[in-house]
């Protein structure tokens, strides 16, 4: 029962993060270095990926693969979190929060792997 609750919490948070890519897109675009080509497109595509993977996490038939895909996705976006931590002055976020976010990424990976396991 508790595993199911944490599964739904994770899925909802992940989908909300994906929606955030459209609602506060300027924040996500600015989180990438300016030399990255196609930043808006990357932000929108990653938002769609988060929404879809979060939804797929809710279905038992796709849960395990979605969990693995989310873990891979979180590893792939980790460099953006590092960039933000080293360039904290560019964001309206406390610097400590950007540094704390780095190890939290590994907690998210652990969380999704735990709740997506059969």
């Amino acid at each position: 029962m508790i595993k199911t609750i944490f599964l739904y919490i994770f899925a909802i948070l992940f989908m909300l993060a994906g929606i955030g890519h459209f609602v506060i897109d300027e924040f996500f675009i600015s989180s990438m270095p300016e030399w990255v080509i196609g930043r808006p497109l990357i932000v929108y595509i990653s938002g769609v990926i988060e929404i879809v993977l979060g939804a797929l996490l809710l279905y038992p038939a796709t849960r395990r693969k979605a969990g693995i895909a989310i873990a891979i996705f979180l590893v792939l976006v980790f460099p953006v979190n590092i960039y933000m931590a080293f360039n904290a002055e560019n964001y309206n976020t406390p610097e400590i929060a950007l540094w704390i976010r780095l190890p939290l990424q590994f907690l998210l990976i652990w969380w999704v792997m735990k709740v997506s396991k059969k």
Side-chain angles (χ1 to χ4, degrees):
M1 177 67 169
I2 192 80
K3 181 178 173 183
T4 303
I5 292 168
F6 281 105
L7 167 72
Y8 278 89
I9 291 170
F10 187 96
I12 290 166
L13 291 175
F14 206 70
M15 288 186 285
L16 286 173
I19 292 167
H21 283 67
F22 298 94
V23 176
I24 53 172
D25 56 341
E26 285 302 319
F27 170 79
F28 286 97
I29 292 167
S30 72
S31 70
M32 290 185 281
E34 290 196 16
W35 54 263
V36 174
I37 298 170
R39 292 183 305 155
L41 182 61
I42 293 169
V43 166
Y44 299 133
I45 290 172
S46 63
V48 169
I49 289 170
E50 289 181 4
I51 294 166
V52 170
L53 288 177
L56 290 173
L57 196 59
L58 297 173
Y59 297 98
T62 56
R63 183 168 297 146
R64 187 65 183 152
K65 288 182 181 177
I68 292 167
I70 290 170
I72 292 168
F73 179 84
L74 290 171
V75 169
L76 292 175
V77 300
F78 191 68
V80 172
N81 297 347
I82 294 170
Y83 175 81
M84 289 180 72
F86 278 102
N87 296 281
E89 67 278 359
N90 296 335
Y91 306 100
N92 192 17
T93 304
E95 184 175 356
I96 189 70
L98 296 173
W99 284 101
I100 290 172
R101 182 177 168 197
L102 297 177
L104 287 180
Q105 194 86 350
F106 297 103
L107 176 63
L108 291 175
I109 292 168
W110 172 83
W111 183 359
V112 75
M113 295 308 295
K114 193 77 171 166
V115 298
S116 66
K117 191 185 325 181
K118 293 183 181 190

